[in-house]
């Protein structure tokens, strides 16, 4: 059974804090994605990674960075959290050459 | 990626088949039809995909019309746990977008009622 896990389901942070969101997949997938989902705006791609140590900006990378040191792990970093980063964050992975993405359960982040 | 149109909401009685339609009249020859769903406060879940032929797996069946301009997702025996937002997406399997990002529309909110 495919599995994508995220480090937290719910997270509350203060403005200005550095926030780490971790995602782990056990399917040996090359590609991994970070999205955020907001009401009325759908899914928006923040960053994606083709493979280890490779990353590309998505549509809304500002205020975020990522790290992919190991194939199974893709981390999203909020350098200095702001209230407009309050959102549901979704991690996904897929095997290179396919188009089916498998999602984690999501992290609902609230920045106060 | 081609645009899709889905009804905003549907109801279904528990135990009955749920038939969710999707129009994709501008679909091109190399685009697949994908279905995902998202249960409240959870991540999206892949359901099924197809190109031309009808497809079936343990979750659902996908019926694609001969002209490929529309499709129907069928949940054969809906349960309360199938209550979710269902998204129909068409995508070029070779990646019209090099990011591979998924673009979800508004989807159909399916409410399964006892």
């Amino acid at each position: 059974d495919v599995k994508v896990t995220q480090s937290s389901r719910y997270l509350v942070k203060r403005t200005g804090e550095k926030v780490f969101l971790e995602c782990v997949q056990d399917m040996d997938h090359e590609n991994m994605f970070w999205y955020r989902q907001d009401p009325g705006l759908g899914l928006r791609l923040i960053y994606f990674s083709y493979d280890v140590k490779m990353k590309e900006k998505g549509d809304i990378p500002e205020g975020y960075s990522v790290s992919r040191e190991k194939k199974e792990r893709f981390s999203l970093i909020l350098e200095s959290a702001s209230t407009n980063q309050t959102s549901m964050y979704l991690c996904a992975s897929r095997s290179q050459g396919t188009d089916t993405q498998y999602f984690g359960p999501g992290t609902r982040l609230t920045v106060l | 990626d081609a645009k899709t149109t889905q009804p905003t909401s549907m109801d279904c009685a528990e135990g009955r088949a749920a038939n969710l339609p999707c129009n994709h009249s501008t679909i091109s020859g190399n685009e697949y039809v994908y279905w995902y769903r998202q249960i409240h406060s959870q991540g999206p879940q892949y359901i099924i995909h197809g190109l031309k032929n009808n497809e079936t797996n343990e979750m659902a069946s996908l019926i694609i019309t001969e002209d490929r301009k529309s499709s129907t997702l069928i949940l054969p025996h809906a349960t309360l746990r199938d209550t979710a937002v269902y998204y129909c997406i068409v995508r070029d399997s070779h990646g019209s977008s090099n990011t591979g990002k998924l673009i979800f529309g508004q989807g159909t909110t399916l409410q399964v009622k006892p």
Side-chain angles (χ1 to χ4, degrees):
Chain A
D1 217 11
V2 299
K3 197 143 188 198
V4 180
T5 56
Q6 295 182 227
S7 49
S8 306
R9 288 301 307 275
Y10 300 94
L11 207 53
V12 179
K13 294 292 182 181
R14 296 203 176 275
T15 301
E17 280 192 83
K18 192 168 186 175
V19 182
F20 293 88
L21 302 181
E22 293 219 312
C23 175
V24 178
Q25 50 97 1
D26 65 359
M27 297 164 282
D28 202 36
H29 285 169
E30 294 82 7
N31 302 161
M32 295 187 75
F33 303 81
W34 274 107
Y35 295 90
R36 63 179 282 180
Q37 186 175 35
D38 301 286
L41 295 177
L43 281 181
R44 291 182 291 169
L45 182 67
I46 305 171
Y47 267 96
F48 66 100
S49 170
Y50 286 121
D51 212 328
V52 176
K53 297 191 188 294
M54 297 182 71
K55 59 188 178 186
E56 294 286 338
K57 293 180 180 178
D59 297 322
I60 50 163
E62 296 78 20
Y64 303 95
S65 61
V66 290
S67 172
R68 185 127 182 245
E69 296 296 317
K70 293 185 178 180
K71 193 174 187 180
E72 67 270 18
R73 190 178 299 267
F74 191 32
S75 301
L76 180 70
I77 303 147
L78 285 65
E79 297 292 342
S80 176
S82 63
T83 54
N84 63 12
Q85 292 178 310
T86 291
S87 186
M88 169 72 109
Y89 288 88
L90 292 162
C91 174
S93 74
R94 72 169 184 183
S95 181
Q96 184 71 32
T98 72
D99 223 7
T100 301
Q101 293 188 26
Y102 296 92
F103 285 82
T107 296
R108 187 164 294 281
L109 172 68
T110 301
V111 182
L112 301 175
Chain B
D1 295 337
K3 183 178 168 58
T4 63
T5 306
Q6 299 176 252
T8 303
S9 63
M10 292 181 64
D11 289 345
C12 178
E14 189 178 17
R16 306 297 289 265
N19 297 286
L20 293 97
C22 179
N23 286 325
H24 31 79
S25 58
T26 60
I27 193 170
S28 61
N30 58 349
E31 286 183 316
Y32 283 69
V33 180
Y34 279 79
W35 284 84
Y36 286 78
R37 73 179 182 183
Q38 189 169 21
I39 295 168
H40 182 62
S41 294
Q42 295 185 23
Q45 178 187 23
Y46 164 78
I47 302 172
I48 199 167
H49 73 284
L51 183 64
K52 295 180 186 175
N53 300 322
N54 298 336
E55 302 288 343
T56 296
N57 64 19
E58 64 279 2
M59 288 183 69
S61 295
L62 175 60
I63 308 298
I64 303 174
T65 57
E66 197 166 338
D67 64 6
R68 303 208 325 119
K69 293 186 177 182
S70 65
S71 60
T72 301
L73 179 75
I74 301 172
L75 308 178
H77 304 287
T79 71
L80 298 178
R81 283 185 282 188
D82 292 321
T83 292
V85 180
Y86 287 77
Y87 298 99
C88 169
I89 304 163
V90 292
R91 289 189 56 78
D92 178 347
S93 66
H94 299 295
S96 58
S97 164
N98 61 5
T99 67
K101 70 182 176 185
L102 289 178
I103 301 174
F104 284 6
Q106 294 305 306
T108 296
T109 299
L110 175 69
Q111 181 74 47
V112 180
K113 298 187 173 181

